[in-house]
Amino acid sequence: AGYVSHFIGKGHLGYATTDHLPIRRGFASHFGFLAGSETYAHGGGDANASAGAHDLWRDAGPARSDVPRMTYSTDAYAARFVEIASSHDPSSRLFVYFSVQNVHAPYQDPPEDDRGGPWPDFKLCPNCTYAQMLWRLDAAVANATDALRRHCLWDETLLLFTADNGGIGPYANSHPLRGHKHDPWEGGTRATAFLAGGFLPDALRGQSTGAKLVHVADWYPTFCALAGTDPTDDAVFDGIIRPIDGVDVWPMLTGANASQPRPITPITEVSVMEAAPAGWWKLVTLAGQSQRYAEDAAAVDATDPCLSARQPDPPQPGRTDPVVTAPDCAVCNATRPCLYDVLNDPTETANVASANPAVVARLAAALANASTYYVSGDLSADVMARYAPADNASWDGYLAPCYVPRATATIV
């Protein structure tokens, strides 16, 4: 589509080989870390770039020169965004994946000279570490959007700000929704998002989309449609052609089309949502009690009765927690699933599965159809034959891909 693309910040997308690094996947530049979480200074390690373990990359190799001066990662990533905006030719198209670390665990204060507050209106904790982290996130977004404006890019910008999951304690939560990150409950899967930028139609600014379901996978085909390029990327698995998961949601968001472009949406490996004009049904085939949250982030265990038996947690590449955590109490499973009318019951308090067997059967079939993992977390033997194990010593202790193309099996 003619865009110059850049990748900044958290990765956690799978980097088995050096060919899976962002710089080898269409991005003109990459600055960030590869894993899912790390401390906020010096690439998760010592200020000495050659001492101990680090996780910080710039383009095709460890970001050794950036480690000593990174005193707070979000500030460094914002500075990189400003560099990109400042040097970009406004006559060409620009895409930036800006995955800032705040406010992901571990909770860490910024350097003392970068702190603000206190903020009395932030009732949760007016001057705690979490508040300071939000302060630096706000500053990063302000610096990025200011750079776009100063360099004549804002008027053509569409900015999507989104989370990838619901909150989790001790500070974040998804009140009044039930559950948290890792759960199939709404508090674990429903995330806050908004659109901004000069490209956004005036009629949409300051408005809420209301009851319109958007899955994170929908942004890829939506952006492709806006850019005028075809998002088709079919995969064949077990002889079945599988299209991409996302759909173009721009007509729905802008009001050009009032209906949902996809009637049934798999949410997790154990939950699925049907968004129909008559109402929204959510089926859950495995879940634990989890918690409900107050505005002050206080958690209260839910009281649904435990089922006498449960099926094992389903496999999912990359899952870090089981669906049902201790105590071993499943409240929904495949033989006794939970069904919720989520528009009228967004806090998931009334299981109406027994009163709607036809809905349960329809959604269970849709979930089963979607549950075959045609995109595996493992690379096939045919693919791996092209690679050799990397010489880990050559990475100087930096987290890195495990394999390199056979022609370059030693990294310099």
Side-chain angles (χ1 to χ4, degrees):
Y3 279 75
V4 179
S5 300
H6 302 271
F7 189 117
I8 305 172
K10 176 180 175 178
H12 206 201
L13 298 172
Y15 306 102
T17 79
T18 52
D19 286 339
H20 290 84
L21 292 169
I23 198 70
R24 304 278 172 81
R25 308 290 281 183
F27 288 90
S29 75
H30 167 221
F31 178 47
F33 63 102
L34 304 186
S37 176
E38 70 173 14
T39 54
Y40 280 72
H42 310 301
D46 192 87
N48 183 341
S50 300
H54 297 85
D55 179 8
L56 190 65
W57 277 68
R58 186 178 281 271
D59 298 335
R64 297 177 179 89
S65 63
D66 295 285
V67 164
R69 58 176 178 261
M70 179 184 273
T71 56
Y72 205 68
S73 63
T74 300
D75 295 340
Y77 296 146
R80 175 59 186 147
F81 188 105
V82 171
E83 288 177 0
I84 291 169
S86 301
S87 60
H88 182 73
D89 180 356
S91 65
S92 62
R93 292 174 163 185
L94 173 66
F95 174 82
V96 181
Y97 180 71
F98 187 37
S99 182
V100 290
Q101 196 169 350
N102 294 43
V103 287
H104 198 285
Y107 302 119
Q108 292 183 309
D109 279 312
E112 191 166 348
D113 57 355
D114 282 335
R115 298 177 194 174
W119 300 274
D121 292 336
F122 189 55
K123 303 298 184 184
L124 183 61
C125 52
N127 199 26
C128 66
T129 296
Y130 194 74
Q132 295 294 341
M133 294 174 74
L134 285 170
W135 164 253
R136 295 321 302 159
L137 174 61
D138 285 348
V141 175
N143 290 342
T145 53
D146 179 65
L148 292 172
R149 289 185 172 93
R150 286 188 290 107
H151 296 282
C152 304
L153 300 171
W154 180 254
D155 288 348
E156 296 298 319
T157 291
L158 178 64
L159 184 151
L160 165 66
F161 199 105
T162 184
D164 58 353
N165 49 249
I168 192 166
Y171 300 115
N173 71 80
S174 299
H175 171 80
L177 303 177
R178 177 180 186 172
H180 49 68
K181 178 181 178 179
H182 301 302
D183 283 343
W185 303 112
E186 289 293 274
T189 61
R190 188 186 294 195
T192 301
F194 65 83
L195 292 166
F199 182 84
L200 192 68
D202 289 341
L204 298 183
R205 300 183 187 195
Q207 304 300 309
S208 171
T209 59
K212 296 177 181 178
L213 180 64
V214 177
H215 192 283
V216 68
D218 295 334
W219 292 114
Y220 164 66
T222 300
F223 289 160
C224 285
L226 292 173
T229 192
D230 184 0
T232 302
D233 189 16
D234 294 342
V236 178
F237 183 76
D238 287 344
I240 301 173
I241 298 176
R242 301 274 187 168
I244 62 171
D245 297 309
V247 293
D248 177 11
V249 294
W250 192 250
M252 177 184 70
L253 294 178
T254 58
N257 185 349
S259 62
Q260 291 282 154
R262 177 187 48 233
I264 297 178
T265 301
I267 303 298
T268 72
E269 73 276 33
V270 294
S271 60
V272 63
M273 186 94 74
E274 180 180 64
W280 289 20
W281 295 110
K282 177 181 177 182
L283 181 74
V284 182
T285 60
L286 184 63
Q289 283 183 329
S290 194
Q291 291 89 26
R292 301 183 185 278
Y293 291 90
E295 287 187 82
D296 64 357
V300 178
D301 288 340
T303 58
D304 305 62
C306 302
L307 301 177
S308 58
R310 54 164 281 214
Q311 76 269 21
D313 285 317
Q316 177 183 332
R319 175 172 281 283
T320 56
D321 279 7
V323 178
V324 180
T325 54
D328 189 9
C329 171
V331 299
C332 316
N333 65 19
T335 56
R336 296 183 63 182
C338 297
L339 182 71
Y340 300 96
D341 176 1
V342 292
L343 285 186
N344 295 311
D345 181 23
T347 58
E348 298 168 298
T349 57
N351 178 9
V352 295
S354 60
N356 297 276
V359 177
V360 170
R362 181 171 68 249
L363 295 188
L367 181 59
N369 181 61
S371 64
T372 301
Y373 290 100
Y374 55 92
V375 178
S376 170
D378 299 320
L379 298 175
S380 69
D382 290 343
V383 171
M384 291 309 301
R386 304 198 299 265
Y387 296 92
D391 177 9
N392 291 333
S394 65
W395 298 123
D396 292 339
Y398 284 71
L399 185 69
C402 299
Y403 297 90
V404 296
R406 288 195 176 275
T408 57
T410 298
I411 302 299
V412 178

